[in-house]
Amino acid sequence: GAAPAEWDSRAVRETVVYNLFARMCDEPPSEPLLEAMLSYFDTLPGCLLSEAPLLGAALDSQANATLETRLALKAAVLASPLGGRLRKASRADKLDADELAQQVADGLLFAGGYGTTHLTLAALERVSSDPALYVPLWEADPDAFLVESARLDPPVTSVSAIAPKGGQQLQGPGGG
């Protein structure tokens, strides 16, 4: 469900992305980077509607802003202590450090910024709906509480995979 009015979803998202970046990269994000990460959540929805013909220049502007945020975050990941570890791992495994850093950046923004914020807001909503019931459950086992919150109100509701060109397509029951 939607977050109750008393929860400021921007403040929750700011707390989530700040802490995810700090934990993953072993240093806090700069204020401009934090603002850029938060702006991502204003521009991405329009980018997801890329086939909408009426959006025109507004869509181009949002797409550019989204790309700039992604690239700024990738640069920050590479400049952080995590970036050093990614470069070392990429040399050892013959992978591209820039690609690894972009995957980390995109995961932090999308899964962290959307998914973790959604999970946090849903858990806060659940606790505030009946504190006498839910606070003791949280205190007894915070991990189990969050897992159950994610089961009841999943932050990610579907996953799609695309087979590589020339790859094998698996058939489900009934040939579909």
Side-chain angles (χ1 to χ4, degrees), residues 4-141:
E6 67 264 21
W7 301 115
D8 178 352
S9 60
R10 180 177 167 88
V12 170
R13 181 169 283 126
E14 181 175 352
T15 301
V16 167
V17 296
Y18 178 94
N19 284 298
L20 284 172
F21 183 92
R23 295 288 298 247
M24 291 170 67
C25 296
D26 295 327
E27 62 185 26
S30 68
E31 194 62 35
L33 180 63
L34 182 59
E35 284 305 313
M37 288 190 290
L38 292 172
S39 75
Y40 172 86
F41 304 101
D42 297 328
T43 60
L44 182 67
C47 295
L48 297 176
L49 300 172
S50 63
E51 297 301 316
L54 301 177
L55 295 176
L59 179 61
D60 290 342
S61 174
Q62 288 183 352
N64 288 335
T66 299
L67 179 59
E68 288 174 17
T69 298
R70 292 178 60 232
L71 294 175
L73 183 54
K74 177 180 81 170
V77 167
L78 284 169
S80 75
L82 174 60
R85 294 191 300 274
L86 288 174
R87 281 189 289 282
K88 183 178 179 183
S90 71
R91 285 190 300 272
D93 294 337
K94 296 180 177 51
L95 300 171
D96 185 308
D98 275 7
E99 288 180 19
L100 290 175
Q102 192 64 67
Q103 289 176 17
V104 169
D106 290 343
L108 190 153
L109 285 170
F110 194 78
Y114 278 112
T116 306
T117 298
H118 176 87
L119 176 59
T120 302
L121 287 167
L124 288 169
E125 180 181 356
R126 184 161 286 107
V127 170
S128 67
S129 72
D130 190 349
L133 174 64
Y134 292 116
V135 169
L137 292 173
W138 166 261
E139 290 173 340
D141 191 343

